[in-house]
Amino acid sequence: MRLHDSFAWRGLLWLIAATLWVGAAGAAEQRPTKKVPGVVVERSRVFDPEKDGDPVLNNLQRRTFRFFWDTTNKQNGMAPDRFPSPSFASIAAVGFALTAYVIGAERGYVSRSQARLRTLRTLRFLESMPQGPDESGMGGYKGFYYHFVHMHNGQRFGTSELSTVDTALLLGGVLLSQSYYDQDTRSEREIRALAEKIYSRVDWKWAQSRPPVLSHGWRPESGFLRFDWRGYNEAMLMYILALGSPTHPIEPEAWTEWMSTYKKSYGEFMGQEFLSFGPHFGHQYSHVWIDFRGIMDAFNREKGFDYFENSRRASYAQREYARQNPMRWRGYDSEIWGLTACDGPADTVQIYNNEERGFFTYAARSTASIHVLDDGTIAPTASVASIAFAPEIAIPAVRAFRARFGEHLYQKYGFLDSVNPSFTFTDVPLRHGRVIEGIGWIADDYLGIDQGPIVAMIENYRSGLIWSVMRTNPHIRRGLQRAGFTGGWLDQPAPAQPSS
C-alpha cells in the first residue's frame, strides 16, 4: 500500500483524523500552526510538516505535474517537447511523464486508478510502436526510440536520430512504473510485463559501434553518429541500464572507459572541488531515478564522496558563480541562479554594458567546464531541480523567482522555461518568448525535459519516493553492481519482486 498524499486538518482533530483522505487543493497548502510529530499514513511514509506543508513547494509541484497530465496525448501517452507552441513529442519527456503520474497518484493530484490507466495506455503504445531500419514510418529500432516522434502516431519526426540517452530517460519512467505498480491485479501485472518487454528488447550491444562505449545514436540514412558517450554527463543512467539489461548487457569495462575521461573535468570551481559538467541538467537527470547517496564506484572511493555529494557541490558552485557574476549580467545573485540547456531570446550580438555580447536561442548554458556559455539566461529548472541536493539554496531560489518575476514567469504549469533580465532589446526579432518592460526577456514555453526534473526532484526532496521505489528494481540494482558500486542500500538484501 502506498499513500495518496493530501491532508485535512482542523486543530486537534487533525491528529485524530490523520488517516482520512481529502483532495489535494485547499488544505494541502496550509502549514500547521505548530510542529507535530511525523504521522505514518497507510504504512507508506512519514508526513513531514516542513517538507509536506510548504505551500510554495506544494503549489509548484502540483502545477508542474499538471503540465504532464494535461498536455500529453491521453490516448497514447506521447508528451510534447514544448508547450504551448505546436510541438512534436519528446521520447525523454514521456519518461518524465510516467514519473509524474506516480507522483500524482501519491500526492492525490489524481487517483491511483487514473495514473494506472494513463500509464497502461502509454506502455501499450510504446510496446506497439513500429520498430525497423526504414527511414520513415518507424518509432524506433533495436529497442531504442527516436529522439522526437509525432504526437499522434509515435513515428519518427523529420530526420531525428535514434537516441540512446533519450531512450534511457524514457526507460527511467518505464522501470519506475514497473516497480511502483506492484499490486496483484490484471492491469498492474500488465504494466509490469510491458515494462519488462520494453526494457528487455533494447539491444545495447548493437549501440556499441566503437566498443566498449555506447554511441550517441543512429540514423537510418547515415548509420551511427560520430560521437560516443564518455563521462561525466547525463548518460550515467544509460550505462547503468545497459549494464543491468537481462538480455543484451554490455560489459563492466564500459563503465571503466566511461570514467576514463573524468580527469578532464575534475577540479575546483567557485570554491568547490567536484566532477563537473557545464549545463546543470547533467548533475540532475540520472539522480531523478537513482539514489546515489552512500553508494560508491571506483572513482567515488578514490575521492571519498558519492555522486549525490558531487551534485550538491556542483549546485553550490553554480550559485556562487551567480553571486560573483563575473560577466556582470543583470539579475544574477545568490537567489537567482542556474545555467543549463534552455530556451533563449535570439541568436544575435548586441551592445550590453558598452561591449559586444552574444545571445542565443536554445543552447546549453554552462559553467565549470572547458566551454563556458553564459548569455544572461537563467532557467529555474537548474536551481529548483537541485532541491534534493541542496534545499537550503534551492528553496530560496523558488521563492525569489516567484517574487521577482511574478505571473510573467510563474503561470498555469509552474515556471516557464527561462528568463534573461539583461535582454531588453525591443528591436531584435525573437525566436521564442517576449521582452517585458522592466523585466527583460521571458520564455513563453514550458519544456518537457525541464519540467520533469522539477516535479521529480521536489518529490525526492519531500519523501524520497522515486528513489525508494527504484531501489527495489532488480535491473537498477544489477546495473549499479556491475558498474562496481558498493555500500549503502546496495549492501542490503534485495526485496522480493511481485510477479508479472
Side-chain angles (χ1 to χ4, degrees):
M1 295 289 290
R2 293 189 174 93
L3 69 91
H4 300 239
D5 185 18
S6 285
F7 293 87
W9 60 78
R10 294 292 185 271
L12 293 177
L13 291 178
W14 181 83
L15 292 174
I16 300 171
T19 56
L20 296 179
W21 203 255
V22 296
E29 294 198 8
Q30 298 176 18
R31 183 185 294 273
T33 56
K34 62 177 182 178
K35 277 194 173 184
V36 295
V39 178
V40 177
V41 178
E42 294 190 15
R43 300 184 302 282
S44 179
R45 66 172 179 263
V46 175
F47 173 72
D48 186 324
E50 290 300 315
K51 294 179 179 179
D52 292 327
D54 186 329
V56 174
L57 291 184
N58 286 345
N59 188 273
L60 174 58
Q61 188 179 33
R62 187 172 64 249
R63 288 191 186 204
T64 311
F65 162 80
R66 296 302 310 187
F67 167 82
F68 290 103
W69 192 255
D70 292 351
T71 66
T72 53
N73 185 318
K74 295 173 177 53
Q75 299 308 311
N76 63 26
M78 294 298 99
D81 178 62
R82 62 174 61 241
F83 181 87
S85 291
S87 176
F88 39 76
S90 157
I91 207 67
V94 177
F96 283 118
L98 289 167
T99 302
Y101 304 154
V102 168
I103 296 166
E106 286 289 295
R107 288 282 158 193
Y109 305 151
V110 293
S111 68
R112 184 184 179 100
S113 61
Q114 288 175 304
R116 180 173 55 224
L117 177 60
R118 183 73 67 88
T119 298
L120 190 54
R121 287 176 174 173
T122 304
L123 296 184
R124 284 172 175 168
F125 189 76
L126 288 168
E127 192 277 330
S128 67
M129 286 167 62
Q131 294 245 337
D134 297 340
E135 295 180 12
S136 61
M138 298 291 121
Y141 183 48
K142 296 289 186 178
F144 294 95
Y145 292 86
Y146 284 103
H147 191 167
F148 300 123
V149 297
H150 288 281
M151 284 287 293
H152 64 287
N153 63 13
Q155 295 179 11
R156 182 191 189 194
F157 181 86
T159 59
S160 173
E161 83 284 9
L162 195 77
S163 175
T164 51
V165 74
D166 288 276
T167 296
L169 297 173
L170 167 69
L171 293 174
V174 169
L175 293 184
L176 175 66
S177 301
Q178 181 184 51
S179 291
Y180 176 75
Y181 296 101
D182 58 359
Q183 295 178 358
D184 189 21
T185 63
R186 184 176 64 179
S187 57
E188 298 205 6
R189 287 195 301 270
E190 184 180 357
I191 285 175
R192 296 194 293 273
L194 285 168
E196 187 72 14
K197 185 173 182 179
I198 292 166
Y199 173 57
S200 297
R201 72 182 180 185
V202 179
D203 192 345
W204 301 100
K205 291 182 177 180
W206 170 81
Q208 290 179 297
S209 62
R210 292 167 289 269
V213 291
L214 291 162
S215 170
H216 275 211
W218 175 88
R219 284 191 174 93
E221 298 88 353
S222 55
F224 285 101
L225 305 185
R226 294 170 44 215
F227 302 104
D228 298 315
W229 287 106
R230 286 181 170 87
Y232 171 74
N233 50 52
E234 74 273 24
M236 189 156 52
L237 170 69
M238 181 190 68
Y239 272 96
I240 290 166
L241 291 174
L243 287 162
S245 171
T247 50
H248 305 286
I250 62 175
E251 295 304 314
E253 63 180 323
W255 191 260
T256 303
E257 180 64 22
W258 159 266
M259 292 188 296
S260 68
T261 56
Y262 279 10
K263 58 183 176 290
K264 297 180 181 178
S265 53
Y266 185 84
E268 185 172 327
F269 180 77
M270 292 291 163
Q272 301 291 329
E273 185 176 321
F274 64 106
L275 184 63
S276 70
F277 180 72
H280 211 46
F281 72 85
H283 290 283
Q284 297 168 337
Y285 278 6
S286 295
H287 293 260
V288 166
W289 295 283
I290 300 178
D291 183 1
F292 286 102
R293 295 173 300 176
I295 64 173
M296 295 190 178
D297 66 0
F299 168 82
N300 297 142
R301 287 188 287 272
E302 176 190 345
K303 298 301 182 183
F305 60 90
D306 56 38
Y307 288 109
F308 179 91
E309 170 63 17
N310 194 77
S311 289
R312 189 192 71 82
R313 296 182 185 187
S315 300
Y316 266 88
Q318 276 254 8
R319 183 237 201 175
E320 181 62 16
Y321 174 86
R323 190 190 70 79
Q324 293 189 20
N325 193 12
M327 295 187 70
R328 296 173 288 110
W329 293 115
R330 180 175 172 232
Y332 284 30
D333 59 31
S334 61
E335 293 184 325
I336 300 295
W337 58 274
L339 300 187
T340 193
C342 64
D343 274 348
D347 295 310
T348 183
V349 175
Q350 299 292 325
I351 300 300
Y352 174 83
N353 278 356
N354 298 316
E355 63 184 36
E356 287 189 343
R357 294 288 184 93
F359 297 90
F360 309 95
T361 52
Y362 188 86
R365 278 87 182 169
S366 61
T367 63
S369 65
I370 297 172
H371 177 59
V372 174
L373 180 63
D374 178 13
D375 69 343
T377 304
I378 309 170
T381 187
S383 50
V384 179
S386 296
I387 188 171
F389 311 127
E392 66 278 7
I393 61 175
I395 294 175
V398 174
R399 299 180 186 279
F401 276 115
R402 284 196 61 175
R404 298 191 198 182
F405 303 107
E407 63 183 10
H408 300 299
L409 182 65
Y410 192 73
Q411 297 187 5
K412 182 177 181 179
Y413 298 125
F415 289 116
L416 291 165
D417 195 53
S418 46
V419 59
N420 189 324
S422 302
F423 194 95
T424 57
F425 312 103
T426 58
D427 57 346
V428 178
L430 300 176
R431 174 78 174 273
H432 297 290
R434 64 211 185 280
V435 173
I436 301 172
E437 185 178 356
I439 297 290
W441 177 87
I442 290 185
D444 53 9
D445 274 333
Y446 304 94
L447 270 60
I449 59 172
D450 289 345
Q451 291 286 86
I454 291 176
V455 66
M457 293 302 264
I458 288 177
E459 190 57 43
N460 278 332
Y461 160 69
R462 294 176 74 179
S463 71
L465 168 68
I466 305 169
W467 291 336
S468 64
V469 172
M470 290 296 271
R471 286 198 299 263
T472 71
N473 190 281
H475 305 308
I476 294 295
R477 178 180 289 263
R478 182 168 56 249
L480 287 165
Q481 290 171 334
R482 296 193 73 228
F485 284 88
T486 58
W489 60 268
L490 272 178
D491 289 348
Q492 302 300 315
Q497 297 298 303
S499 59
S500 296

